[in-house]
Amino acid sequence: MDWDIVIGLEVHVQLNTETKAFCSCRVSYGDAPNTHVCPVCLAYPGALPVLNKAMVDSAVMLGLATRCRIRPYSTFARKNYFYPDLPKGYQISQYDDPICYEGHIDIAAGGKQKRIGLTRIHMEEDAGKSMHSEAGTRVDLNRCGTPLLEIVSEPDIASPEEAYQYLTTLKQIVRYTGISDCNMEEGSMRCDANISLKPEGQKAFGTRTELKNMNSFRNVERALKYEVSRQRKVLESGGNIIQQTLLWDERSGTTRSMRSKEESHDYRYFPEPDLSPVHIDKAWIEKISSTLPEMPEARKQRFMKDLRLSEEDASALTAEKETADYFEAVLKTFNAPRTVCNWVRNEILRIVSETGRSVRKVPVSAEALAELLVLLEKKEVTPQTAKLVLDEMASGGASAREIIEKKGLKPISDSGALESLIDRIFEANPELVRRFRDGETKLFGFFIGQVMRETKGQADPAATREIINQKLGK
Ligand SMILES: [Zn+2]
């Protein structure tokens, strides 16, 4: 039998606000345990939460970026459960009336675009962290109260590959808005997945399981693939799927049962009495809307249409906002999109991957690259030397002009110097000169190569070509 796969994803994104959701403790990562805590996030009796407006701004921002509707009044609720890293015994979250709802994200699926609905985006606070070691289990409450957005998709995702695409696209959008760095390793982006199978074409959903503990997009995809085949085997042998929460074990590549799946009534949600409802008026939404950057898909389309870049180039340049910003900053001084695209893709992104830095932290600013490209266009440096100059700029921070001057990297176009060099090369290779004269024209490239080698790429290519042609009587 053929089966339809039904996947819904719940993604938590940790916001990069200065302070926590309901107190003025700093949001931090990697600091000494329990150094960013106060009576509110430690749940001392009588301490009262105060809403951080920056969290609401971020929620509206992401809601607008994902075409959600923004709810004018939304409230907070308590989600009750016990765990040692949750001192209050409940998490402040949203339940009935999340701040954003009915949005969507378009993803690439099988060469086409597919729209994945978003059920909701709501605000909540993070719990602390239990640290297990041989000495026992200890708790770090620095993370308690860190603002989160939970983004819940509709069950529109029809394969593990689509789940991967959805996560990649969502991460790209979130990073464009600047509200989170979405670093899965540091836990600032986390994903849980609901998955079920149903006979092909059947309307009613099958029983679903929930997958947790996946720390990369690839692992989400792998875990879903594993779960698809596990559920298929159970169903095809006449068994029933048990609704439960499963933990993905990366090392064995399998899942194991964590607990039977809880329902929302298990959490005994009730309205948070210590926080008033959030009222968002039109002016507030408009203000945030005016700061919303152009989204990756729109920017990609613009690069293709207005700058005549290929889809592949446009995708590569818009994958990260920083890269696209850098590219456009270079264009301000040196308006040749294809040339700049090649330099950014081949050279700047190479430096990024070699140094592990982000585009913003590469020591070659957009203005500095533009200066180099202007010099190249004016033939004040040869293409080969220009790449060496760029590497020099990346390691030292000096400008292109300074490096060219200081290291004597100007092109050699002095015909006297080039002529004597070419004579020497011919003298050293009489046999090849003879073969060239006998019609083996592909040896031309060999002679050019020799000149470039001798001059470390500084020979002016046009002048070199002309002199060789003259001397070989062509
Ligand atoms: Zn606090």
Side-chain angles (χ1 to χ4, degrees), residues 375 381 389 400-410:
L375 293 173
V381 63
V389 173
R401 192 176 290 281
E402 283 163 4
I403 292 165
I404 292 167
E405 296 278 338
K406 206 170 128 201
K407 302 223 157 179
L409 295 173
K410 283 195 177 153

Side-chain angles (χ1 to χ4, degrees), residues 23-244:
C23 62
S24 56
C25 292
R26 208 155 64 74
V27 170
S28 70
Y29 176 80
D31 287 345
N34 302 309
T35 50
H36 301 291
V37 288
C38 74
V40 175
C41 51
L42 291 178
Y44 283 15
L48 289 173
V50 177
L51 176 60
N52 180 355
K53 181 170 171 286
M55 171 161 75
V56 183
D57 287 341
S58 298
V60 173
M61 178 81 122
L62 185 58
L64 293 173
T66 53
R67 315 265 174 208
C68 282
R69 301 173 68 179
I70 312 292
R71 203 180 295 275
Y73 280 92
S74 68
T75 61
F76 287 98
R78 290 186 179 181
K79 179 181 182 180
N80 298 281
Y81 66 95
F82 173 78
Y83 208 72
D85 62 15
L86 188 73
K88 286 205 294 276
Y90 61 86
Q91 183 186 19
I92 302 179
S93 182
Q94 295 195 288
Y95 186 52
D96 286 326
D97 49 8
I99 182 161
C100 310
Y101 62 107
E102 291 176 10
H104 64 255
I105 288 175
D106 292 328
I107 64 164
K112 279 189 273 180
Q113 258 202 355
K114 180 173 175 183
R115 181 155 291 185
I116 307 294
L118 297 188
T119 317
R120 57 191 280 157
I121 299 175
H122 68 251
M123 301 180 278
E124 62 184 33
E125 59 176 336
D126 211 344
K129 238 187 205 166
S130 296
M131 333 264 275
H132 308 282
S133 72
E134 277 180 19
T137 295
R138 295 167 179 183
V139 72
D140 174 11
L141 299 176
N142 279 349
R143 205 176 66 177
C144 258
T146 295
L148 299 178
L149 294 181
E150 180 171 339
I151 302 129
V152 181
S153 86
E154 289 285 302
D156 291 344
I157 299 164
S159 69
E161 293 79 10
E162 282 184 21
Y164 181 86
Q165 280 302 324
Y166 170 84
L167 289 170
T168 308
T169 310
L170 177 62
K171 176 179 173 177
Q172 196 186 24
I173 292 170
V174 175
R175 285 180 59 89
Y176 262 65
T177 63
I179 61 173
S180 169
D181 61 10
C182 295
N183 186 333
M184 266 187 121
E185 279 154 29
E186 293 182 2
S188 60
M189 185 174 186
R190 284 165 254 162
C191 172
D192 300 334
N194 287 301
I195 174 165
S196 63
L197 298 185
K198 61 184 175 63
E200 197 179 16
Q202 177 185 298
K203 281 223 168 112
F205 289 159
T207 305
R208 65 194 160 97
T209 55
E210 185 181 13
L211 296 177
K212 279 187 182 290
N213 199 37
M214 299 157 296
N215 59 4
S216 72
F217 294 173
R218 281 291 168 219
N219 269 318
V220 173
E221 192 183 355
R222 280 178 67 207
L224 285 168
K225 278 186 177 160
Y226 174 83
E227 187 58 11
V228 167
S229 69
R230 188 191 72 84
Q231 290 193 10
R232 180 180 288 147
K233 266 185 218 147
V234 171
L235 292 168
E236 289 181 351
S237 63
N240 288 318
I241 301 297
I242 300 161
Q243 185 168 333
Q244 60 184 330

Side-chain angles (χ1 to χ4, degrees), residues 342-357 359 362 386-392 394:
N342 288 338
W343 278 82
V344 171
R345 283 196 68 187
N346 299 334
E347 306 302 326
I348 299 298
L349 293 182
R350 172 180 59 81
I351 295 167
V352 165
S353 75
E354 279 170 8
T355 58
R357 290 174 169 162
V359 172
V362 166
K387 291 187 182 167
L388 299 177
V389 173
L390 184 74
D391 281 338
E392 206 47 46

Side-chain angles (χ1 to χ4, degrees), residues 317-440:
L317 291 174
T318 54
E320 290 282 349
K321 180 170 177 292
E322 285 185 3
T323 312
D325 288 347
Y326 184 96
F327 168 71
E328 292 207 275
V330 180
L331 288 188
K332 275 191 190 144
T333 313
F334 189 78
N335 191 15
R338 260 181 244 181
T339 307
V340 176
C341 169
N342 288 338
W343 278 82
V344 171
R345 283 196 68 187
N346 299 334
E347 306 302 326
I348 299 298
L349 293 182
R350 172 180 59 81
I351 295 167
V352 165
S353 75
E354 279 170 8
T355 58
R357 290 174 169 162
S358 67
V359 172
R360 211 180 312 148
K361 292 196 178 134
V362 166
V364 182
S365 67
E367 294 70 29
L369 176 61
E371 187 197 7
L372 175 65
L373 296 181
V374 169
L375 293 173
L376 181 61
E377 192 186 44
K378 287 186 183 159
K379 296 201 169 25
E380 288 185 33
V381 63
T382 66
Q384 266 177 304
T385 318
K387 291 187 182 167
L388 299 177
V389 173
L390 184 74
D391 281 338
E392 206 47 46
M393 289 161 75
S395 57
S399 78
R401 192 176 290 281
E402 283 163 4
I403 292 165
I404 292 167
E405 296 278 338
K406 206 170 128 201
K407 302 223 157 179
L409 295 173
K410 283 195 177 153
I412 304 168
S413 53
D414 167 35
S415 54
L418 282 177
E419 271 190 47
S420 59
L421 171 62
I422 291 166
D423 284 340
R424 260 189 290 133
I425 291 169
F426 286 173
E427 273 162 32
N429 299 284
E431 174 64 13
L432 295 176
V433 173
R434 190 189 57 73
R435 276 164 52 193
F436 181 84
R437 289 210 161 103
D438 286 349
E440 212 176 311

